[in-house]
Amino acid sequence: MGEPAITLWSDADFFSPYVMSVYVTLHEKGLPFTLKTVDLNGGEHLRPEWRGYHLSRRVPLLEVDGFELTESSAISEYLEERFAPPEWERVYPHDIQKRARARQIQAWLRSDLMPIREERSTDVIFAGVKKPPLSEAGQRSAEKLFTIAGALLAHANPNLFGEWCIADADLALMLNRLVLNGDEVPERLADYAAFQWQRSSVQRYIALSAAR
């Protein structure tokens, strides 16, 4: 059996935190893939001729041997099961409870903390844009993030669960929305985010946005 034909579709600017999560997953698992882009700002994803997933027309879109899937956490979970250890690297914890906690963290980061996501869009991270001070709602959201992240990292280890997992990249990105804007972030959490940001798979994605 030959290598699978894998294509990842991204926004043309490489600003999507969810594309980054899948991109990092693919690199960490050592899976070869083709990277394609679609111009979301120009509405390319809404045109009938775009060969993207017709049900949602969103990125990231992953194609594996003709199977199409959107939603980043669903994609990462699919890749973990489809390309399972020991042949392929692991991106979720081996322990079933830790694995469930990692998925919980991913779901929380995608469904909560909306004021941070609105007031600290990813152009802060990938284009160095600076935003005005947080609103009261943004400050409350930041405090919630700090409280929960602080509890998750109370063990003082550099990763959430001992060894790195994809939830580390996702949590670091949320924290870096604030850190890289110059907002006040507890030192321990800022150090965690900085450590995660140096991972080679993350740096490869950052290089894409820098080169656009």
Side-chain angles (χ1 to χ4, degrees), residues 123-137:
D123 55 2
V124 168
I125 293 175
F126 300 120
V129 173
K130 298 300 180 185
K131 304 289 185 177
L134 290 169
S135 66
E136 288 188 14

Side-chain angles (χ1 to χ4, degrees), residues 50-188:
W50 182 53
R51 289 187 55 255
Y53 191 46
H54 67 283
L55 291 180
S56 65
R57 295 192 169 271
R58 288 157 62 98
V59 295
L61 163 67
L62 186 79
E63 298 178 62
V64 181
D65 292 337
F67 174 66
E68 297 175 329
L69 188 65
T70 58
E71 305 305 323
S72 58
S73 57
I75 292 171
S76 291
E77 291 181 29
Y78 166 73
L79 289 171
E80 183 78 330
E81 294 182 20
R82 170 70 173 78
F83 303 101
E87 182 177 358
W88 306 95
E89 293 298 321
R90 186 181 299 280
V91 296
Y92 284 96
H94 180 268
D95 177 80
I96 189 171
Q97 292 184 348
K98 291 179 179 178
R99 189 161 66 249
R101 185 72 71 207
R103 289 168 171 164
Q104 176 191 1
I105 292 167
Q106 287 186 293
W108 166 61
L109 291 169
R110 286 157 173 74
S111 62
D112 200 355
L113 308 172
M114 183 59 73
I116 295 177
R117 289 187 278 154
E118 289 178 344
E119 298 179 33
R120 297 291 181 267
S121 55
T122 54
D123 55 2
V124 168
I125 293 175
F126 300 120
V129 173
K130 298 300 180 185
K131 304 289 185 177
L134 290 169
S135 66
E136 288 188 14
Q139 292 173 18
R140 288 194 298 270
S141 192
E143 287 303 321
K144 182 177 185 180
L145 171 62
F146 299 156
T147 298
I148 294 175
L152 291 168
L153 295 165
H155 48 59
N157 293 325
N159 300 312
L160 283 164
F161 304 107
E163 294 186 4
W164 179 91
C165 77
I166 189 58
D168 282 301
D170 291 345
L171 179 56
L173 187 143
M174 183 61 76
L175 289 165
N176 272 334
R177 290 175 184 265
L178 300 166
V179 173
L180 297 179
N181 191 68
D183 297 301
E184 188 172 344
V185 176
E187 183 178 4
R188 181 162 58 91

Side-chain angles (χ1 to χ4, degrees), residues 4-77:
I6 303 176
T7 299
L8 172 64
W9 285 89
S10 169
D11 62 297
D13 292 327
F14 301 106
F15 277 13
S16 170
Y18 311 117
V19 170
M20 190 192 94
S21 187
V22 175
Y23 182 95
V24 167
T25 294
L26 287 164
H27 273 288
E28 292 289 343
K29 294 192 76 66
L31 290 165
F33 65 97
T34 299
L35 182 64
K36 295 184 178 181
T37 61
V38 57
D39 182 5
L40 301 183
N41 293 328
E44 185 181 357
H45 59 305
L46 302 176
R47 298 171 189 166
E49 62 268 23
W50 182 53
R51 289 187 55 255
Y53 191 46
H54 67 283
L55 291 180
S56 65
R57 295 192 169 271
R58 288 157 62 98
V59 295
L61 163 67
L62 186 79
E63 298 178 62
V64 181
D65 292 337
F67 174 66
E68 297 175 329
L69 188 65
T70 58
E71 305 305 323
S72 58
S73 57
I75 292 171
S76 291
E77 291 181 29

